[in-house]
C-alpha cells in the first residue's frame, strides 16, 4: 500500500500543477475573442466576408499596443479620440521595420487602438463596432486583420488585398511568419516540475 501511495503521489501532484498552471500568452484570449466578434459582426450584420489573419499586421498591432500600454484610458483616448487627433508615433518607421514592413505596402491599411479597462470582451467589441471605427469595419476594401494587446490597450490593424495595403513582408517571408505564428506557444514549466517531483519521490 505504501509503495502504491509512493507511486501515485507524484502523479497526483503533477495533475494539480498542470491544471493550476495557466498555459496562456498575454492577450491571446482577448484577441481571439475580438476577432470572432468582429467577423461575426461583419457576417451577420453587414453580410461581408470575414477578415483573415495577417501575421505582419498582427506584428505591427503588437508593437503599437506596446507603445500605448502606459497611457491611461480616458474619455479622449482609443475609440473616443477625436478624428484627426489620433496619437502620432515619431518612431513609426522603426515599428514598421521591426515587422519587416514599409510605408508603401501599409498606406492603405488602418490602425485602430482602443483602451478598455481589463479588456472586458463585450466592451472591447463595442469599442470597435459602436464607434468611429465601425466605418472601417463596414468597408469592403478591408480583407485582413491583425490584433495586438498590452495591459488595457488593444489594437486592430486592417489590411487590403492591394499592393498599397497588403502588409506583405518586405523580405517576402510572410508565409513563413504566418506558419510560425500559428504554432501554439506552450510552456514546458509544468512538465519539468512533474519530472522533478517524480525524480525526488522515487529517490
Amino acid at each position: 500500500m505504501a509503495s502504491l501511495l509512493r507511486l501515485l503521489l507524484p502523479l497526483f501532484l503533477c495533475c494539480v500543477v498542470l491544471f493550476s498552471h495557466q498555459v496562456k500568452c498575454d492577450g491571446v484570449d482577448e484577441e481571439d475573442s475580438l476577432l470572432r466578434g468582429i467577423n461575426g459582426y461583419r457576417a451577420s450584420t453587414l453580410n461581408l466576408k470575414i477578415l483573415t489573419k495577417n501575421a505582419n499586421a498582427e506584428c505591427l498591432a503588437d508593437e503599437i499596443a506596446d507603445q500605448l500600454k502606459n497611457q491611461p484610458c480616458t474619455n479622449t483616448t482609443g475609440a473616443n479620440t477625436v478624428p484627426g487627433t489620433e496619437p502620432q508615433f515619431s518612431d513609426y518607421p522603426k515599428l514598421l521595420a521591426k515587422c519587416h514592413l514599409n510605408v508603401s505596402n501599409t498606406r492603405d491599411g488602418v490602425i485602430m487602438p482602443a483602451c478598455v479597462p481589463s479588456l472586458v470582451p463585450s466592451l472591447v467589441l463595442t469599442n470597435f463596432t459602436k464607434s468611429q471605427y465601425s466605418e472601417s469595419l463596414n468597408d469592403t476594401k478591408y480583407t485582413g486583420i491583425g490584433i495586438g494587446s498590452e495591459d488595457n490597450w488593444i489594437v486592430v490593424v486592417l489590411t487590403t488585398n492591394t499592393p498599397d495595403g497588403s502588409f506583405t513582408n518586405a523580405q517576402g517571408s510572410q508565409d513563413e511568419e504566418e506558419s510560425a505564428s500559428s504554432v501554439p506557444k506552450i510552456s514546458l514549466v509544468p512538465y519539468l516540475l512533474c519530472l522533478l517531483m517524480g525524480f525526488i519521490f522515487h529517490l
Side-chain angles (χ1 to χ4, degrees):
M1 183 69 179
S3 60
L4 181 61
L5 286 174
R6 186 182 176 91
L7 184 64
L8 292 176
L9 186 58
L11 292 175
F12 173 74
L13 290 174
C14 275
C15 290
V16 170
V17 170
L18 286 173
F19 283 107
S20 64
H21 184 85
Q22 290 187 343
V23 184
K24 172 192 168 186
C25 299
D26 289 342
V28 170
D29 286 348
E30 292 86 355
E31 293 164 21
D32 288 344
S33 175
L34 179 58
L35 177 60
R36 288 192 299 270
I38 287 175
N39 277 332
Y41 165 76
R42 280 173 59 95
S44 62
T45 309
L46 307 169
N47 201 28
L48 298 177
K49 290 182 179 178
I50 65 169
L51 299 168
T52 58
K53 280 188 177 182
N54 182 303
N56 295 323
E58 184 174 326
C59 174
L60 183 60
D62 281 332
E63 293 294 334
I64 292 174
D66 190 58
Q67 292 277 310
L68 293 169
K69 66 182 179 183
N70 293 323
Q71 289 191 28
C73 291
T74 69
N75 291 332
T76 58
T77 59
N80 297 315
T81 304
V82 176
T85 63
E86 295 87 354
Q88 301 298 314
F89 300 101
S90 57
D91 55 353
Y92 186 66
K94 289 183 181 178
L95 300 182
L96 290 177
K98 282 185 178 181
C99 299
H100 307 292
L101 294 166
N102 55 56
V103 174
S104 65
N105 59 18
T106 60
R107 69 184 68 199
D108 281 351
V110 63
I111 298 169
M112 305 184 294
C115 192
V116 180
S118 303
L119 293 181
V120 178
S122 59
L123 296 179
V124 169
L125 182 59
T126 301
N127 265 258
F128 288 94
T129 59
K130 304 292 185 184
S131 71
Q132 57 178 308
Y133 294 153
S134 63
E135 184 177 344
S136 296
L137 294 178
N138 299 351
D139 197 325
T140 56
K141 77 177 181 182
Y142 296 114
T143 58
I145 188 171
I147 303 175
S149 60
E150 281 289 341
D151 295 337
N152 294 325
W153 285 89
I154 191 159
V155 178
V156 170
V157 176
L158 298 183
T159 69
T160 69
N161 57 9
T162 63
D164 289 344
S166 64
F167 282 65
T168 302
N169 192 283
Q171 297 178 352
S173 59
Q174 181 180 8
D175 291 340
E176 293 176 15
E177 287 197 11
E178 286 177 350
S179 298
S181 68
S182 66
V183 177
K185 298 176 182 177
I186 300 174
S187 171
L188 296 177
V189 172
Y191 302 102
L192 293 174
L193 286 174
C194 283
L195 285 174
L196 180 61
M197 285 190 290
F199 176 75
I200 291 172
F201 279 96
H202 282 88
L203 287 179

